[in-house]
Amino acid sequence: MLNPVVCFSVVLILLAPLSAHADLKKCVSSSGTVTYTDQPCASKAGESVKEVRDDAALKKISSRIKEQDVGKSCWQLSHRYSQCNVAVEHLLMSNFRENCSIPMHQFERERAKENSRSRNYREEQEGNDLEYNHRYTSKSRDVLECDGLQRNMWDFLKSTFNDKISQQDAKAIDYKLQVAPADGRDPVILKRNKH
């Protein structure tokens, strides 16, 4: 049985990156200093600060942050899939690959560039989480949350790429996930093992 706290945490983790950039603000002080923040604009003593809402740079930064968050989420789900060794419904997987390939590869290229600049890369390799720097570390099924992988993939796709998924595919995936076992095992294999 899935722990409700763990399930709720996964949903929050997947949705947090998508809402984190929503409140990004550009603050301009009376001295002309520009600051981008997700906190309310704060002024120092003797200075006034103006919040700028409609700014091209702000839109560009927000867009870039969203792209990075989508790429990271795609990578994490793909990484979980590669280590869980569970069957994922074919139509779901093809939609996932179609929508996540480019953002995931961009994320991997950016992380590779960062790692090549980091001298501490080898020291950061140890860890049992879903971070890119720990991608070669074996993880437990509990950490990977394999039992909920299909549902997590589908929830992420619907919330992020809803406009790119056909209604026919969405209905078929919803139906197949309702009849699929919760543990992610292939129902065909389960039927064979019962006999």
Side-chain angles (χ1 to χ4, degrees), residues 5 30-31 61 68 80 93 97 101 107 116-117 120 130 133 138 140 143 146 149-150 152 168 176-177 188:
V5 175
S30 57
S31 63
I61 291 170
Q68 289 173 342
R80 285 173 57 198
M93 192 51 138
R97 286 183 176 138
S101 292
F107 172 78
S116 68
R117 288 184 232 136
N120 298 329
L130 294 175
N133 288 342
S138 294
S140 68
V143 169
C146 296
L149 179 60
Q150 281 194 115
N152 293 155
Q168 183 179 359
K176 289 178 181 179
L177 289 182
V188 174

Side-chain angles (χ1 to χ4, degrees), residues 82-97:
S82 70
Q83 291 202 355
C84 280
N85 193 26
V86 295
V88 172
E89 199 283 316
H90 177 72
L91 190 55
L92 170 60
M93 192 51 138
S94 64
N95 273 282
F96 179 80
R97 286 183 176 138

Side-chain angles (χ1 to χ4, degrees), residues 20 25 37 40 48 59 61 63 65 75 82 90 104 108 114 116 119 133 140-142 144 153-154 167 178 186 191:
K25 298 170 182 65
T37 181
S48 64
K59 289 177 184 175
I61 291 170
S63 172
I65 290 171
W75 181 86
S82 70
H90 177 72
M104 184 171 54
E108 289 172 336
E114 287 176 17
S116 68
R119 295 186 189 274
N133 288 342
S140 68
R141 288 183 64 83
D142 289 338
L144 294 169
M153 288 174 102
W154 182 229
Q167 288 182 346
Q178 286 175 356
D186 188 345
K191 286 179 187 174

Side-chain angles (χ1 to χ4, degrees), residues 107-133:
F107 172 78
E108 289 172 336
R109 278 193 300 269
E110 289 170 8
R111 294 295 86 72
K113 285 179 190 176
E114 287 176 17
N115 288 339
S116 68
R117 288 184 232 136
S118 172
R119 295 186 189 274
N120 298 329
Y121 174 65
R122 300 267 185 256
E123 295 170 11
E124 297 170 1
Q125 283 293 83
E126 295 180 21
N128 196 20
D129 59 17
L130 294 175
E131 291 301 320
Y132 183 79
N133 288 342

Side-chain angles (χ1 to χ4, degrees), residues 71-87:
K72 181 176 183 177
S73 295
C74 286
W75 181 86
Q76 286 177 333
L77 288 165
S78 177
H79 178 68
R80 285 173 57 198
Y81 171 71
S82 70
Q83 291 202 355
C84 280
N85 193 26
V86 295

